[in-house]
Amino acid sequence: MNDTSSSEIKREFMKSRSGLVGIGILACLIIMSIIAVITIPIDTFKQWNNPGNWISYPKTSIPIWVNYFTTEKIPEHVIIENPEIITKDGIISLTSQQFMLDYDYSDFPDGLIYEFDTEYSGSVLLHISVIRPDQTEMLLLSTSLPYSDTKTQHHERIFTTDNNIKKNLEFQSANLDANKNTKSSEMLIFSDANGEVLNGRYLFLVNFYGVNQQLEILDSKLIVGGKAFGLMGTDELRRDLMVGLLWGTPLALFIGIVVAIGSVTIGLLYGVYAGFKGKKTDEGMMRFNDIIYALPALPFLIILAVTISNSIFVIIGFLLIFSWVGIAKVSRSMTLQIKIKQYVEASKIMGQTDSKIISKHIIPQLLPYAFASIAISVPAAITTEAGLSFLGLGDPTFPTWGQILHDAHTFGAASRGLWWWIIPPGAMVAITGLAFVFIGNALDAIINPKLKR
Amino acid sequence: MFGVLMVTLLLTIALVGSNMDVILKQGIIYQVRSEITENSSIVESFDSVKEFEEFVQAQIDQRIKALGLDNPWYSPQRIGFTMYKILILDFGNATFLTSDSGSSNVGEILLEKIPRTVLLFTTATIIISMIGIFLGALSGSKVGSVVDRLTSTFAVISSSFPVWWIGMLMIFLFAFTYHIFPARATPSMLPSEPGYVIALLYHMALPLITIVIIGFGSWAYLVRNFMVGTMQEDFITAKKAIGIKKNKIIYRHALKNAAPPIVTILALSLSGSLGGAIITEAVFDWPGMGRLYFEAISVMDLPIIIGATYVLTVLFLISIFIADLLYGYFDPRVKRE
């Protein structure tokens, strides 16, 4: 046991390169968590497991930045929401919208969806057409909305797989290919005379015609299906992985830090008390320690998670049960060494109470060790939680990195080459662990200078 | 030690017992109902629905009683009986799972799975410890050298990587992107066919490499730290002064002195390897103890859970015991105390 003061530790720590790297990574992670909490509404991540919430996103799409590195430009998934609405009143009223799309990719999009929410009465005619980069106009659809006497709200999704759209397009297509009726609607819209992709600016016009009445568009969006989306891509269930990864950060930090601080505190107090009391108390407490030590931790964690609850807070409690044991052992043996020092004996003779001796003389000496073990036990807690989630035992209400990996494994992401689904979550687990290991090792090297020489 | 064993078993039973009871009772109710409804002559012999229901209930109660399920799981008789059965190594029959050959005897299932786990995980542990001891001794004797720094850095980095994630990456890289190794860890041919051994080794390669890569760093780091302590002792300096070759000092004298803690860790990790690794086995689809455990827990197959926990805890305690004996052999000071 050497007595290093806290200011000395700080000074030594500033010299340790790996320690500073660890602090740097940790700072980044904390900034990420803050960004996640501020920018992503809590509702979005609560909806993580609700497929309805992700319906307008593409399936297993690659991150968009991949396009910067490849010559083949993968079509991006674009969602255009609520453009300006122009209304003209008259005997025949017109409510119209324009969706502008700059298309510059090597492949056709994966279908178009026009989704809208309107409020109207009477009969309304819906007319959708597109002006292509070569200035030709194509009619997509001309249809009427269901008639209603009173004011009603109407919600509808129009897909380009619709047969009417397909028929309309076949007549007008510039594509001279003989077997153009085997092609999908979006291929007909986005192809030139040779059947190649026609790049440029597309303008989708949506007009609602009504007779003597008003129509209001409450919400509308045009979804151009693509194979690339967002900074992190999406998974099989159309979820934006960015949301999961960002929200995983505060969760992982929370789990790791709470478990580490909790287990070190419990272990420290338990070990110090056992070591200080000695004799039968020590014997009994250490036997109990042995029992917990002998329990197979992961199987028991699984049993507990299956039988009792898999709520994240309960899981934290379970992790605590198994993680304080080692620290208790070490702090007990350290206490045994400190206990026989003369100043402890002296204060005992002076009539100091046990609790004062423990808190004034013993615990302060163990604090450096305690801080180092907190840092070192964070990664273990995070990886164990990730492991449990990976087995499908995670809390379904919180998207953790382990759960993303679990889904990736169940949907066979490795065999399908969906690297953006596997690498980022695992890398986040590893980086977070690394930050704490760096900090812990730097502290450890200061406390045990023997290892350095 | 025996006490520890018993407490472990009691805890396992306590955790799984109540759910197990519910599942078993539901099973019986379902069984009785389906048997009775299938046999139309019984159904027709009743006049009212009430009478019929009473008959069914009586049948169910009778069966529950016959199986001893009328006592709750925490009743002394049932716990005592279970414990006694386990002590005489009679694990009984599994409720749901069976071995590959179709037997539902827990002992047979365990005997089928343990060799497979030994094949992969114990082999991996041995390779890891050999590389680790060698690298650790090397870097511990040359503190601050390139080897030492590389080993320490690698140890720190690899310790924060989850093995199963590296496993997924390895499968992604070597099985699907470059078709070097198969993704599934079990060969598709029958054990009796010629060439089975080679196929098995080929299939084993990917998980084995993964486990070794992630494992040896921390081993090397531990051994290094023990070695650094020993290399500073006076007798090593004395030996250096006499002029004994450096390699001889490192591997004969220093390593032997650093041996006790190393042997303890080796014994513990060898016994730990028998439990397999639940998550790693799930990733590589390796049909060992870890997978068995996980399957048993997910369907609440109590006999298997208890049997596996018992066997693993016994092995763990035995290895602690052996480690203690070896400790005494390498460090005779311990014996006298």
Side-chain angles (χ1 to χ4, degrees):
Chain A
M1 247 328 355
N2 55 323
D3 314 76
T4 18
S5 72
S6 60
S7 63
E8 242 175 279
I9 291 178
K10 215 183 275 166
R11 200 167 348 107
E12 283 278 318
F13 190 84
M14 296 310 280
K15 275 189 219 156
S16 146
R17 225 183 308 151
S18 68
L20 289 179
V21 171
I23 291 280
I25 301 175
L26 185 60
C28 294
L29 289 173
I30 291 173
I31 291 170
M32 261 181 83
S33 325
I34 295 171
I35 291 175
V37 175
I38 293 172
T39 57
I40 301 172
I42 204 151
D43 282 346
T44 323
F45 103 95
K46 285 224 163 123
Q47 298 289 325
W48 181 253
N49 280 324
N50 173 15
N53 190 49
W54 305 99
I55 199 134
S56 47
Y57 292 95
K59 232 183 202 181
T60 56
S61 63
I62 208 161
I64 44 171
W65 46 262
V66 173
N67 271 342
Y68 293 110
F69 303 104
T70 52
T71 45
E72 285 262 307
K73 299 291 174 228
I74 303 156
E76 249 172 67
H77 187 89
V78 185
I79 301 170
I80 308 168
E81 270 179 289
N82 299 326
E84 206 189 339
I85 298 166
I86 306 157
T87 44
K88 271 187 210 148
D89 285 333
I91 302 170
I92 292 178
S93 69
L94 167 70
T95 312
S96 80
Q97 277 185 317
Q98 287 187 358
F99 294 90
M100 202 163 64
L101 172 72
D102 285 316
Y103 200 80
D104 185 20
Y105 305 105
S106 318
D107 202 359
F108 295 104
D110 246 9
L112 295 168
I113 301 168
Y114 175 63
E115 188 181 346
F116 63 95
D117 243 325
T118 53
E119 199 177 60
Y120 65 91
S121 59
S123 62
V124 171
L125 186 74
L126 170 62
H127 188 92
I128 306 176
S129 60
V130 55
I131 299 173
R132 305 185 340 136
D134 57 5
Q135 300 309 318
T136 51
E137 187 171 350
M138 283 171 113
L139 173 74
L140 295 185
L141 185 67
S142 188
T143 180
S144 58
L145 302 185
Y147 178 81
S148 132
D149 279 330
T150 52
K151 226 170 184 147
T152 49
Q153 278 204 18
H154 181 70
H155 174 91
E156 197 176 330
R157 280 203 191 92
I158 296 170
F159 298 85
T160 42
T161 41
D162 189 303
N163 260 337
N164 291 327
I165 296 182
K166 181 128 201 293
K167 260 183 208 142
N168 283 337
L169 286 169
E170 274 170 30
F171 288 124
Q172 308 164 54
S173 172
N175 190 341
L176 300 173
D177 200 343
N179 50 5
K180 64 183 176 189
N181 35 356
T182 59
K183 300 208 161 157
S184 67
S185 312
E186 57 275 4
M187 276 170 136
L188 295 174
I189 299 173
F190 286 89
S191 64
D192 60 14
N194 306 319
E196 304 285 316
V197 183
L198 180 66
N199 283 325
R201 176 165 290 180
Y202 288 82
L203 213 57
F204 289 88
L205 306 170
V206 181
N207 295 329
F208 291 93
Y209 298 99
V211 184
N212 269 334
Q213 51 237 319
Q214 278 185 337
L215 176 136
E216 238 180 302
I217 300 175
L218 303 172
D219 192 26
S220 68
K221 56 181 148 184
L222 180 76
I223 301 164
V224 185
K227 295 182 189 77
F229 182 80
L231 278 178
M232 287 296 159
T234 57
D235 66 8
E236 179 76 18
L237 303 169
R238 300 168 188 274
R239 295 181 294 209
D240 186 357
L241 286 173
M242 192 71 196
V243 173
L245 287 172
L246 271 179
W247 263 103
T249 321
L251 286 173
L253 288 179
F254 174 71
I255 294 167
I257 292 172
V258 168
V259 171
I261 292 180
S263 61
V264 170
T265 316
I266 297 172
L268 191 77
L269 294 178
Y270 190 91
V272 167
Y273 187 78
F276 187 76
K277 279 280 167 186
K279 288 177 197 142
K280 277 200 176 145
T281 326
D282 182 27
E283 184 70 25
M285 284 172 89
M286 282 302 115
R287 285 297 82 75
F288 178 67
N289 194 309
D290 284 347
I291 291 172
I292 306 274
Y293 185 66
L295 291 179
L298 191 59
F300 260 81
L301 280 172
I302 296 173
I303 295 178
L304 284 167
V306 170
T307 54
I308 297 177
S309 154
N310 61 0
S311 146
I312 211 158
F313 302 103
V314 181
I315 296 260
I316 287 177
F318 296 152
L319 288 172
L320 276 176
I321 298 175
F322 293 99
S323 52
W324 58 273
V325 187
I327 291 144
K329 270 193 172 168
V330 179
S331 44
R332 168 184 169 264
S333 61
M334 283 174 143
T335 312
L336 288 180
Q337 282 172 10
I338 300 169
K339 198 171 78 167
I340 48 168
K341 291 221 167 129
Q342 279 172 342
Y343 55 84
V344 179
E345 301 262 304
S347 52
K348 234 186 219 170
I349 293 165
M350 280 160 66
Q352 195 75 281
T353 54
D354 285 358
S355 57
K356 266 238 163 109
I357 297 177
I358 290 180
S359 62
K360 281 261 160 82
H361 296 299
I362 298 176
I363 289 193
Q365 295 214 42
L366 293 182
L367 276 185
Y369 162 73
F371 281 119
S373 7
I374 286 178
I376 288 174
S377 44
V378 169
I382 293 176
T383 35
T384 316
E385 195 281 329
L388 281 178
S389 300
F390 180 75
L391 289 174
L393 301 169
D395 191 333
T397 47
F398 295 92
T400 59
W401 296 325
Q403 281 176 43
I404 298 177
L405 284 171
H406 166 73
D407 293 337
H409 187 63
T410 37
F411 286 105
S415 55
R416 293 161 61 194
L418 311 175
W419 51 267
W420 62 91
W421 199 359
I422 308 172
I423 296 175
M428 289 304 290
V429 173
I431 290 170
T432 315
L434 212 54
F436 286 99
V437 172
F438 276 151
I439 297 172
N441 277 19
L443 283 175
D444 207 29
I446 297 164
I447 302 159
N448 305 317
K450 225 181 165 187
L451 299 181
K452 249 187 169 177
R453 251 186 285 159
Chain B
M1 266 213 240
F2 186 71
V4 171
L5 188 58
M6 287 298 104
V7 172
T8 312
L9 282 181
L10 265 179
L11 272 175
T12 322
I13 297 173
L15 281 172
V16 193
S18 55
N19 289 51
M20 179 72 189
D21 269 13
V22 174
I23 293 172
L24 279 183
K25 277 183 189 159
Q26 293 286 347
I28 289 169
I29 292 170
Y30 178 76
Q31 205 183 346
V32 168
R33 283 203 183 269
S34 61
E35 267 172 33
I36 290 174
T37 39
E38 262 170 33
N39 196 339
S40 52
S41 62
I42 300 180
V43 181
E44 280 160 13
S45 64
F46 292 102
D47 301 329
S48 68
V49 180
K50 201 181 161 207
E51 231 172 282
F52 175 69
E53 283 297 319
E54 270 170 10
F55 172 74
V56 171
Q57 197 54 47
Q59 285 280 320
I60 291 170
D61 286 346
Q62 200 183 345
R63 239 184 255 189
I64 285 178
K65 205 155 204 172
L67 285 170
L69 284 175
D70 51 338
N71 287 322
W73 60 270
Y74 47 80
S75 68
Q77 296 111 300
R78 281 189 64 195
I79 285 195
F81 186 65
T82 322
M83 296 287 242
Y84 169 72
K85 275 288 208 61
I86 291 170
L87 281 182
I88 57 170
L89 287 178
D90 175 8
F91 300 123
N93 286 325
T95 330
F96 305 104
L97 301 176
T98 57
S99 70
D100 287 349
S101 52
S103 159
S104 68
N105 185 298
V106 174
E108 276 174 33
I109 296 179
L110 290 179
L111 277 182
E112 186 189 76
K113 304 284 181 191
I114 287 180
R116 291 182 190 160
T117 302
V118 168
L119 185 65
L120 178 58
F121 289 91
T122 312
T123 320
T125 313
I126 292 170
I127 296 175
I128 286 172
S129 57
M130 286 196 309
I131 299 178
I133 290 173
F134 175 73
L135 264 182
L138 199 66
S139 53
S141 60
K142 291 183 202 160
V143 179
S145 66
V146 182
V147 182
D148 179 31
R149 281 205 202 143
L150 277 181
T151 315
S152 303
T153 318
F154 188 77
V156 167
I157 293 176
S158 68
S159 69
S160 59
F161 280 56
V163 186
W164 42 273
W165 177 60
I166 298 294
M168 283 176 89
L169 286 188
M170 296 288 265
I171 291 178
F172 172 67
L173 258 181
F174 294 110
F176 292 107
T177 313
Y178 308 101
H179 302 267
I180 302 174
F181 294 113
R184 255 184 69 94
T186 33
S188 46
M189 45 172 106
L190 288 168
S192 49
E193 278 178 60
Y196 176 78
V197 178
I198 296 165
L200 189 67
L201 287 178
Y202 176 57
H203 279 79
M204 242 177 75
L206 201 55
L208 193 66
I209 293 171
T210 311
I211 300 170
V212 169
I213 284 182
I214 291 302
F216 81 87
S218 45
W219 253 91
Y221 193 62
L222 272 176
V223 174
R224 171 201 179 264
N225 287 354
F226 294 136
M227 280 294 283
V228 173
T230 332
M231 290 300 277
Q232 288 163 8
E233 304 262 349
D234 290 340
F235 71 91
I236 298 283
T237 324
K239 290 219 159 81
K240 271 186 198 158
I242 298 169
I244 297 176
K245 272 187 196 153
K246 201 168 182 204
N247 273 343
K248 204 175 168 190
I249 297 179
I250 296 171
Y251 292 106
R252 223 19 99 74
H253 304 286
L255 202 56
K256 198 191 164 192
N257 260 275
I262 297 175
V263 167
T264 313
I265 297 169
L266 183 63
L268 291 183
S269 51
L270 275 182
S271 76
S273 76
L274 292 177
I278 293 179
I279 309 174
T280 316
E281 286 186 15
V283 170
F284 286 106
D285 212 5
W286 185 261
M289 287 290 280
R291 259 253 306 261
L292 176 74
Y293 224 117
F294 183 60
E295 280 170 3
I297 291 169
S298 38
V299 296
M300 284 285 149
D301 200 328
L302 187 63
I304 288 190
I305 298 176
I306 291 180
T309 314
Y310 178 76
V311 171
L312 292 180
T313 319
V314 167
L315 288 171
F316 177 74
L317 293 174
I318 290 174
S319 66
I320 290 183
F321 184 65
I322 292 174
D324 275 352
L325 288 184
L326 286 175
Y327 211 110
Y329 168 75
F330 281 109
D331 190 356
R333 284 171 296 181
V334 180
K335 265 191 220 161
R336 253 176 273 145
E337 272 173 27

